[in-house]
Amino acid sequence: MIVSRRSMIAGTAALAATPALAAAKPDFASKRPAPADRRFTSRAVERELAQVSARIGDAKLRWMFGNCYPNTLDTTVKMGMADGRPDAFVITGDIPCLWLRDSAAQVKPYLHLAKGDADLQRLFRGLIGRQSRSILIDPYANAFMEDPSAPTNLEWSLKDTTEMKPGVAERKWEVDSLCYAMRLAHGYWRAVGDPAPFDATWAAAARAILRTFREQQRKHGPGPYSFLRSSNRNIETMPLGGWGNPARPNGLIQSGFRPSDDACQYPYLIPSNLFAVTSLRELAVVASEARHDAELAREATALAAEVEAALRQHGTMRLPNGETVWAYEVDGYGNAMFMDDANVPSLSGLGYLGCVSMTDPLWQRTQRAAWSEANPYFFRGRAGEGIGGPHVGLRWIWPMSLIVRALSATDDATIRACLRTLRDTDAGTGFIHEAFDQDDPAKFTRHWFAWANGLFGELIVTLARTRPHLLQDFA
């Protein structure tokens, strides 16, 4: 059995002991909580759930969509008020804390419905506000407590050597965490055109993001952040006294940890820097259009341009076969590493995030390499093939990689193959997991992982709109 910070392997015996999963029936009975037990309900989501379900020909795929698409709303949202405004605390699932990355990604599948649903607007306003206040507590933190005055209760964070503050659950510095907060704000503004969340608190958080990114360019020294954790897993702590491996300043932003919450080997994580360029430009749009703050927009745009120029100069590498691809991590001294990790931003997820054009030749080469033996975390077994990562270990495929590949694919055959693997590797639970064994999907990690469930729902909704024949005829 492998147990890690955010992972717990569950076999069939463990499933039988889990109340939420024990009710599974061969007739595909719904796994949703009873209506009275659902944490948040949206009429728009319920309508879309019914409409899309009616277009799915395969009974099991339809059942899984019905369980997964509303999972974030059903089980992870806690609404309240803060300073007279909506407040939304969105947990990851089996960990009762808010991750900036996960919470933003969990609600993304509902953005297109928000304009016509006042309840969803309240949720998005509440989450944007909660994320802004969290960033102002500590922009270097990745996860937060519901009570902003409470110390962490995560057992793995209790003895971390770093500047822990009240309200912080875990303090792993990850560039993508702040990118997701910017992405959420831009997505809501574009979908609804509602300026309400973009108040002085949001603007202060936006400036904190810019300040933190500049600090972690480390042009004038290491900056204020370091992190040490006592662990028998090297990916849980940063090397060299908690400051990270050496890197030569070049305009890129250093990241202590990856989107998997695993420590970086080389400090310049290229997918996260590409995501930062896109997200900073999205921040500039919101600053300009929603707040009419030309200075904030100018600062965000200038930083995006600087990082983009550094990426062009330092972000690529040559594979042994002679192809030039985006690197996964570099150090500015000429060292580069190629791999990919299923957690987004990943190299293979850059098209899905809109960081590159889906037709860009450099990204297409990179994606092909990520889905090949050039990537040490690409696995193929009896249960399927896909990308994993160091977080869980070798032989473990993350369904997230399959979903992102399907969302990025331009041909029906690839999408069908991904759908088939997703359908057939749920271990009979009706949900999407963090990872499954390449040869035995009855072995999986995390029985309740709302980000993966929501991403699967997003895929099905997208296919219903763009390729309905794939859902109707799928078998």
Side-chain angles (χ1 to χ4, degrees):
M1 178 176 288
I2 299 172
V3 179
S4 65
R5 203 236 351 115
R6 296 181 69 190
S7 308
M8 182 175 68
I9 305 272
T12 53
L15 289 177
T18 305
L21 301 179
K25 297 179 181 179
D27 61 356
F28 302 134
S30 173
K31 294 292 191 70
R32 297 183 66 185
D37 296 328
R38 295 171 189 169
R39 290 195 170 193
F40 188 95
T41 301
S42 159
R43 289 194 180 98
V45 171
E46 296 298 327
R47 283 195 300 269
E48 183 166 65
L49 183 63
Q51 291 167 358
V52 173
S53 293
R55 303 173 73 178
I56 303 174
D58 183 84
K60 185 176 181 184
L61 200 68
R62 183 167 61 247
W63 175 59
M64 292 177 66
F65 173 68
N67 296 330
C68 292
Y69 185 50
N71 185 245
T72 285
L73 302 183
D74 285 351
T75 66
T76 71
V77 174
K78 183 173 182 179
M79 294 298 302
M81 298 293 292
D83 301 324
R85 292 173 174 267
D87 174 45
F89 190 78
V90 180
I91 66 174
T92 70
D94 53 12
I95 306 174
C97 296
L98 177 146
W99 261 254
L100 293 176
R101 169 187 56 253
D102 291 46
S103 59
Q106 284 167 236
V107 300
K108 180 184 179 294
Y110 315 125
L111 266 172
H112 66 289
L113 300 172
K115 190 174 182 64
D117 190 310
D119 289 330
L120 282 179
Q121 291 174 32
R122 184 167 57 93
L123 168 62
F124 281 104
R125 289 176 185 171
L127 183 54
I128 291 169
R130 168 65 76 150
Q131 290 197 347
S132 297
R133 295 191 301 276
S134 297
I135 290 167
L136 290 175
I137 291 172
D138 186 357
Y140 284 102
N142 57 325
F144 296 87
M145 305 293 292
E146 181 178 356
D147 179 354
S149 66
T152 184
N153 61 4
L154 299 180
E155 61 178 350
W156 52 81
S157 296
L158 294 175
K159 297 182 180 180
D160 290 346
T161 303
T162 190
E163 189 183 350
M164 289 293 285
K165 299 177 181 179
V168 171
E170 186 173 60
R171 194 174 190 251
K172 287 183 170 180
W173 160 237
E174 301 163 1
V175 169
D176 72 279
S177 290
L178 298 183
C179 293
Y180 271 103
M182 293 186 281
R183 170 61 55 94
L184 174 66
H186 178 264
Y188 180 72
W189 172 248
R190 278 287 181 252
V192 182
D194 172 21
F198 308 113
D199 55 10
T201 300
W202 179 85
R207 287 188 161 84
I209 291 173
L210 296 180
R211 181 180 68 251
T212 304
F213 279 178
R214 291 193 194 98
E215 287 173 352
Q216 290 307 309
Q217 287 178 303
R218 297 196 181 187
K219 295 178 181 179
H220 309 292
Y225 177 80
S226 65
F227 182 96
L228 283 171
R229 172 174 291 172
S230 179
S231 174
N232 61 2
R233 306 175 75 233
N234 66 322
I235 57 176
E236 286 293 322
T237 191
M238 292 177 64
L240 295 180
W243 296 97
N245 283 322
R248 175 176 287 162
N250 56 19
L252 295 173
I253 304 164
Q254 295 194 30
S255 191
F257 292 84
R258 300 166 178 166
S260 58
D261 299 339
D262 295 343
C264 293
Q265 178 172 322
Y266 294 139
Y268 296 125
L269 180 57
I270 298 305
S272 289
N273 273 266
L274 285 158
F275 193 22
V277 171
T278 303
S279 302
L280 285 165
R281 288 177 174 149
E282 291 174 342
L283 172 62
V285 169
V286 179
S288 177
E289 296 180 2
R291 282 193 58 81
H292 309 292
D293 189 335
E295 180 61 20
L296 177 57
R298 184 196 66 76
E299 291 180 17
T301 301
L303 182 55
E306 181 183 358
V307 176
E308 183 180 48
L311 282 163
R312 286 197 296 267
Q313 187 171 356
H314 303 284
T316 60
M317 64 180 291
R318 191 177 297 275
L319 294 176
N321 66 3
E323 288 190 329
T324 297
V325 297
W326 286 113
Y328 189 72
E329 290 174 355
V330 303
D331 66 357
Y333 288 100
N335 299 304
M337 174 173 62
F338 186 80
M339 57 165 276
D340 203 19
D341 189 301
N343 286 266
V344 181
S346 57
L347 291 176
S348 51
L350 293 173
Y352 161 71
L353 287 174
C355 300
V356 298
S357 167
M358 294 280 196
T359 60
D360 175 63
L362 174 59
W363 178 68
Q364 288 183 337
R365 289 195 301 271
T366 304
Q367 186 195 41
R368 283 196 302 271
W371 278 81
S372 79
E373 293 182 358
N375 173 15
Y377 296 100
F378 171 75
F379 307 119
R380 180 183 289 117
R382 291 190 296 272
E385 65 178 34
I387 297 171
H391 190 73
V392 177
L394 302 178
R395 297 172 48 89
W396 290 88
I397 295 169
W398 289 54
M400 188 177 295
S401 71
L402 292 154
I403 299 170
V404 169
R405 190 181 198 199
L407 283 165
S408 308
T410 57
D411 63 292
D412 287 358
T414 297
I415 298 170
R416 282 197 182 96
C418 291
L419 284 174
R420 192 170 297 111
T421 303
L422 290 165
R423 180 195 63 185
D424 296 343
T425 55
D426 72 318
T429 68
F431 290 99
I432 303 296
H433 304 122
E434 179 187 56
F436 62 88
D437 182 273
Q438 66 179 34
D439 293 323
D440 183 3
K443 299 176 182 177
F444 63 85
T445 65
R446 299 191 72 179
H447 70 277
W448 178 18
F449 185 24
W451 180 11
N453 288 327
L455 193 62
F456 174 74
E458 181 181 345
L459 169 62
I460 299 300
V461 169
T462 300
L463 293 177
R465 184 181 69 252
T466 61
R467 297 172 185 255
H469 62 282
L470 285 180
L471 297 181
Q472 186 62 50
D473 302 334
F474 181 75

